[in-house]
Amino acid sequence: MTELIGKIVEVITAETVYIGRLVEVNEEEVYLESDAGWIVVPVEKVGLIREKEE
């Protein structure tokens, strides 16, 4: 997962897909920086994190 830090990613949950620059992943939360501001997603809700295709 650390190889994706600094890259634009998609964080996929059961409810939605978040897109932003991956800043940090820890045991509890995933932090993204998006055009609209910061997004914090609890790890237990994350189904997949992958690099966004262009």
Side-chain angles (χ1 to χ4, degrees), residues 8-30:
I8 303 299
V9 298
E10 297 175 327
V11 176
I12 302 168
T13 69
E15 295 86 26
T16 191
V17 176
Y18 300 98
I19 298 173
R21 185 175 60 86
L22 184 62
V23 176
E24 182 181 344
V25 177
N26 61 39
E27 293 178 5
E28 298 175 2
E29 298 171 319
V30 175

